[in-house]
Amino acid sequence: MKLRRRKEPKRLMPIRDPKDPGSGVFTRRALLLMAAQTAALGVLGRRLYDLQIRDGDHFAKLADNNRISKRLLAPPRGLIVDRYGVAIAANKTNWRALLLPEETTDVQGTIDRFSALVPLDERDRARVAREMRHKRKFVPVMLRDFLSWDDMARIELNSPGLPGVLIDVGTTRFYPYGSLLAHTVGYVAPPNEQDVAKSALLALPGMRMGRAGVEQSQDDLLRGESGSVQMEVNAVGRVMAELDRVEGTPGDQISLSLDVGLQQAVLGRIGDQVASAVVMDCRNGEVVAMVSNPSFDPSLFDSGVSRAQWAEWTSNERTPLINKAVAGVYPPGSTFKPAVAMAALSSGAISATDRFFCPGHFDMGGARFHCWAKYGHGSLDLHQALKFSCDVYFYEVAHRIGMEKIAESAHAFGLGTELGIELPHQREGLIPTPEWRRRHGHHWNGGDTVVSGIGQGFVQVTPLQLATYTSRIATGRAVEPHLVRAVNGSVGAKAEPTNWPALDMDPKFLDALRGGMFAVVNEPHGTAPKARLDIPGVQMAGKTGSAQVRRVSRALRESGHFNSASLPWEYRPHALFICFAPFDAPRYAVSVVIEHGNAGADAAAPLARDIMTDALTRDPVNHRIPPGQTVADAE
Amino acid sequence: MVLPVKPTSGLANRSGAAARGVLAGLDPRKSGGKFRKRLLRAEPSFRILSKLWSVSWLYVLLICVLAGVGYVSLYSAGGGSARPFAGPQAMRFGFGLVLMITVAMMPPRFLVRIAVPLYIVAIGLLVAVLRMGHVGKGAERWIMLGGMQVQPSEYAKVALVLMLAAWFHRISYARMGNPLWLIPPTLMVLLPVGLVLKEPNLGTGVIIGGVGAAMFFAAGMRLWQIALLILPTPVLLKIAYAHLHDYQKARITTFMHPESDPLGAGYNIIQSKIALGSGGMWGQGYMRGTQGQLNFLPEKQTDFIFTMIAEEWGYVGGIAVIGLLLLLILGGMIMAIRSRNRFGRLLALGISVNFFLYCLVNLSMVMGAIPVGGVPLPLISYGGSAMLDVMLGFGLLMSVWVHRNSRFGEEREEQE
């Protein structure tokens, strides 16, 4: 016990050994330092509390922002189908070969071996090299797209020698009918930088934007809504895990009122003429066929149009890129006469039975305006004037009522106005007025009114306006042309004829116009006997037009050698014809404009008749079938 | 806790006879206890055994616990793998443990003797590293020595503590009053501080200066001397700032406004604060801390290891680590107080303050309280030099503890 007690001197603190000077000071100061150390770490513990507990939520949010990366998923673009559900703009899978640089030790060697299987040209190689410089090693680079089955089989077979090469599927827009519907359906192309700035969705690879036609006007519906995928990424952006995925909403399916079969028939009938034809359901304004010839291949825009191709298109005098049905403006010629007649009747200046004498020319203020019939038509009323398409009658009428009345009537029929059709780049045309002329710093002459009376001069309309005008005459309703019949299968209100308001015109006057147009086709000596339908019990009413594109000089006229067919193509008059049928229960309105086709009666009327025949017989339910006959018989 | 002491002989302590009778320590001439005396005389190997017995194994256990925390964290930092961090670090720790016990066996007399050569070697290495060292991450400099990367600045801290302890021991408390005796130790501090700042390593320079100051203070600097030193400090700081490198100034400015440069110099601070904050009370779970595992946190295995721990284990884990570190620091300080010789007291205090400053700078740095400065968290951060130097320091500390009752140095005073 004793020994043990002496062994270890144990004491608590502080040591203040009198034999050891400074030990007391040391102990005091060491204790002070310990207190300071404890306090310092306590302050840090307090700061840790502030960071972790007090502001924890704030920092947790920031941490999530760091690690969670949200990416949009491109939705499939909506289909465009015709009225019977035939796909006219679809999505085609596009098989692509991608290279993941980090999975191969020898990038150049892999590319070379790939090139031996699927040839890569210098442009491809340069693009791959450029993309690889700018992207991180775990981001795939596209080697080639639009792989064929053979290409893919070769790649799969040789995959052991192609480390890092993977095959991926994307989509491209596909137009099964190509140039047939190019103007109406339009085309898509990659969005440009301004578009991308407006919508994050468009920034996704593979997204396309409608650039023309319905693809452009219905782009918002067709595009759909993006899905999103939430991914956990690390500090350099590599994806570590997928946290959440919301699939996008595919774009809406747009059903057009077009009938692909009829469209094909119309184009086939037009052949290689530079022409435009519109077939409209005159009860509700649905455009059943819309042809503008020549056309172009819309699928070229998806992958990029070559400079040479573009130059060829834009320099072509036949303007293949322009949809002549809505953007081609032509003087309506004699097809304008019903509108003038309506203006005259509505204004009360004449009645349908008032007769005028046509000596073959109309003189006003020292100027002489000729009728197309050199020796005149003699005395005629409105019915006969329309039937013979007498110019002098309409010179006289126009002169009496003035331009404002004519313009008012023409606008009510849809001529020279912007129509509501779902197509971009449509042109308004022009119904000139003295006021318009003044705005452009010119004086309006009486002669301007007179030539406007026969649809010449400054008057300009589009084929679609002509079809609308015809529909309105036929039904007396203010139908608007439209192409979109249904979205996702639900048919819109426009399809119902009774939803269209009646025109603010006297039905008696409309009947007078219809009667005159009936006579044009069906009565003896009408201007368009060639337009007579060969369907029993179905009659068509129409109006011809031959619109001069340059003034016929007096010398030429008097030389007696005036034969427009001998002129150079670009000086020949345009041939026009408008019509509707069946006469007593109008169903379709057709307008045909053949550029430089000479006489409407000879070039346009038979064409319109064939189109109308096809349209009517294509839809047998609407045929007038005499009792005792079957549908098949009626065919 | 660390020191199992009982308030037994406070009175006996004061009596000179008792004090003389218990001249403990391991000087055979003065040791008390017949059995033990015999034991120590008999065989050197028994003497070692006895010394081993008096090592504070509780303290060693505490060191092991913190190294264990380091291992677990480095395992997580390695993405759930012992490689590349945890395994090598464990080996270094094992080696460091042996080094520590070995150093703990060294008597103070021997340590005083080697203090000067070690200090000279340290200064030599600091000069060498300036001449031909490799620069890593802008601040830490290292040289290859016998196939090992050595950071002389880490080692210099231990050497300086030893040197100062030896010096103050030599001049005794009485001479502290004469400023002339304080000039050599001041130069001893300023020399390595200057060399380290020139590396340039601001963090370590500040720590060395701080350790030196603490030792001056504890050695018994007079209060008027302290006052004389503190008064001109603001002026000196201004001059020092003017001489800082541009990137060091940039650190100070980005520290003031870290958001001004979120992807540049402020990135580390911001990401560290985000990681800490997202840990919350209980943490995101072991190996599930998003900031650390997804590499948003830079240097997570070295400077920012504490951030990762606090992210994965939350406030609870962070406070636990700070608590363990505080236990080590206070334990070392108590060992200093308990030493009966001036050398031991100052050595142990220097080592403890060094360890404390290490922790303080690192923790303040990761919490965004001071500018970032390449200072690892001792025992936990990945790094060989730091680990070995910390263990060397603990070895010295343990030597002080083992030899705490040595009246080493007194005989010289008696002779005078």
Side-chain angles (χ1 to χ4, degrees), chain A residues 490-571:
Chain A
S490 66
V491 178
K494 288 179 176 176
E496 182 55 52
T498 53
N499 283 343
W500 296 105
L503 287 170
D504 185 21
M505 291 172 188
D506 193 324
K508 281 205 308 279
F509 300 158
L510 282 168
D511 272 338
L513 300 188
R514 291 178 198 136
M517 288 170 72
F518 179 85
V520 166
V521 178
N522 298 296
E523 287 182 5
H525 312 299
T527 52
K530 290 176 182 167
R532 218 166 282 169
L533 283 182
D534 196 13
I535 305 171
V538 181
Q539 279 100 30
M540 177 158 96
K543 183 75 198 76
T544 55
S546 308
Q548 285 163 16
V549 292
R550 65 165 200 171
R551 198 180 157 81
V552 179
S553 70
R554 174 176 297 204
L556 192 62
R557 188 183 296 278
E558 286 176 354
S559 72
H561 297 296
F562 176 57
N563 178 1
S564 53
S566 63
L567 291 169
W569 182 75
E570 63 268 31
Y571 293 144

Side-chain angles (χ1 to χ4, degrees), chain A residues 334-603:
Chain A
S334 300
T335 58
F336 193 58
K337 284 171 183 166
V340 178
M342 176 55 77
L345 293 172
S346 299
S347 70
I350 62 163
S351 78
T353 52
D354 285 352
R355 302 185 79 86
F356 292 87
F357 184 77
C358 167
H361 54 85
F362 175 76
D363 296 309
M364 193 194 78
R368 173 161 286 194
F369 300 88
H370 291 274
C371 187
W372 65 269
K374 197 172 179 184
Y375 302 107
H377 292 100
S379 167
L380 24 64
D381 63 6
L382 175 65
H383 184 83
Q384 288 162 318
L386 284 172
K387 174 176 155 188
F388 299 128
S389 196
C390 175
D391 290 340
V392 169
Y393 182 94
F394 288 98
Y395 292 145
E396 183 74 45
V397 164
H399 179 61
R400 285 197 186 188
I401 59 176
M403 198 60 216
E404 280 85 356
K405 292 260 163 45
I406 295 173
E408 197 184 309
S409 157
H411 285 151
F413 280 125
L415 297 171
T417 61
E418 175 133 2
L419 298 169
I421 193 157
E422 303 91 341
L423 289 176
H425 315 303
Q426 56 172 309
R427 288 178 65 182
E428 218 176 284
L430 176 70
I431 306 299
T433 58
E435 200 272 324
W436 165 82
R437 195 82 177 121
R438 252 198 312 284
R439 241 184 297 135
H440 289 79
H442 297 282
H443 181 65
W444 180 266
N445 297 315
D448 292 331
T449 309
V450 170
V451 294
S452 295
I454 61 160
Q456 294 281 166
F458 302 111
V459 184
Q460 287 197 313
V461 298
T462 66
L464 183 72
Q465 286 172 355
L466 287 175
T468 309
Y469 159 59
T470 314
S471 294
R472 291 183 181 180
I473 292 172
T475 60
R477 289 185 189 279
V479 292
E480 283 270 355
H482 57 275
L483 276 165
V484 177
R485 181 172 153 80
V487 175
N488 282 338
S490 66
V491 178
K494 288 179 176 176
E496 182 55 52
T498 53
N499 283 343
W500 296 105
L503 287 170
D504 185 21
M505 291 172 188
D506 193 324
K508 281 205 308 279
F509 300 158
L510 282 168
D511 272 338
L513 300 188
R514 291 178 198 136
M517 288 170 72
F518 179 85
V520 166
V521 178
N522 298 296
E523 287 182 5
H525 312 299
T527 52
K530 290 176 182 167
R532 218 166 282 169
L533 283 182
D534 196 13
I535 305 171
V538 181
Q539 279 100 30
M540 177 158 96
K543 183 75 198 76
T544 55
S546 308
Q548 285 163 16
V549 292
R550 65 165 200 171
R551 198 180 157 81
V552 179
S553 70
R554 174 176 297 204
L556 192 62
R557 188 183 296 278
E558 286 176 354
S559 72
H561 297 296
F562 176 57
N563 178 1
S564 53
S566 63
L567 291 169
W569 182 75
E570 63 268 31
Y571 293 144
R572 296 178 199 166
H574 298 313
L576 298 93
F577 194 72
I578 59 171
C579 57
F580 64 89
F583 175 70
D584 42 8
R587 172 69 204 267
Y588 293 115
V590 174
S591 71
V592 172
V593 176
I594 301 172
E595 284 190 16
H596 311 293
N598 284 327
D602 298 327

Side-chain angles (χ1 to χ4, degrees), chain B residues 116-291:
Chain B
V116 178
L118 286 182
Y119 180 78
I120 290 169
V121 168
I123 297 298
L125 285 174
L126 283 178
V127 173
V129 85
L130 275 180
R131 285 281 166 79
M132 53 194 208
H134 306 267
V135 184
K137 296 270 156 51
E140 292 155 53
R141 286 209 176 211
W142 46 272
I143 50 173
M144 294 301 288
L145 216 66
M148 268 178 60
Q149 283 186 16
V150 177
Q151 286 177 26
S153 57
E154 303 282 340
Y155 163 66
K157 280 185 282 191
V158 179
L160 175 69
V161 168
L162 203 59
M163 185 67 222
L164 284 179
W167 176 268
F168 287 127
H169 174 77
R170 193 125 188 114
I171 65 167
S172 80
Y173 175 71
R175 290 191 186 142
M176 291 291 290
N178 184 347
L180 284 179
W181 288 103
L182 297 183
I183 291 170
T186 309
L187 293 177
M188 284 175 208
V189 175
L190 290 183
L191 188 56
V193 166
L195 288 170
V196 168
L197 286 181
K198 211 164 157 58
E199 275 187 18
N201 187 338
L202 186 60
T204 307
V206 167
I207 291 179
I208 295 177
V211 170
M215 288 184 73
F216 270 79
F217 177 66
M221 231 179 147
R222 305 298 184 259
L223 287 172
W224 61 267
Q225 293 169 330
I226 297 171
L228 214 63
L229 273 181
I230 289 177
L231 288 177
T233 308
V235 183
L236 288 175
L237 280 181
K238 216 161 193 178
I239 295 167
Y241 183 80
H243 284 87
L244 285 178
H245 278 253
D246 280 346
Y247 86 94
Q248 287 169 324
K249 286 182 187 169
R251 273 185 184 170
I252 291 170
T253 29
T254 55
F255 154 69
M256 302 295 184
H257 312 281
E259 287 77 10
S260 66
D261 187 12
L263 290 176
Y267 179 83
N268 291 6
I269 292 176
I270 294 172
Q271 293 302 334
S272 179
K273 282 165 82 173
I274 291 174
L276 289 172
S278 64
M281 178 58 95
W282 301 103
Q284 299 199 20
Y286 183 49
M287 299 208 283
R288 301 233 294 272
T290 57
Q291 288 281 104

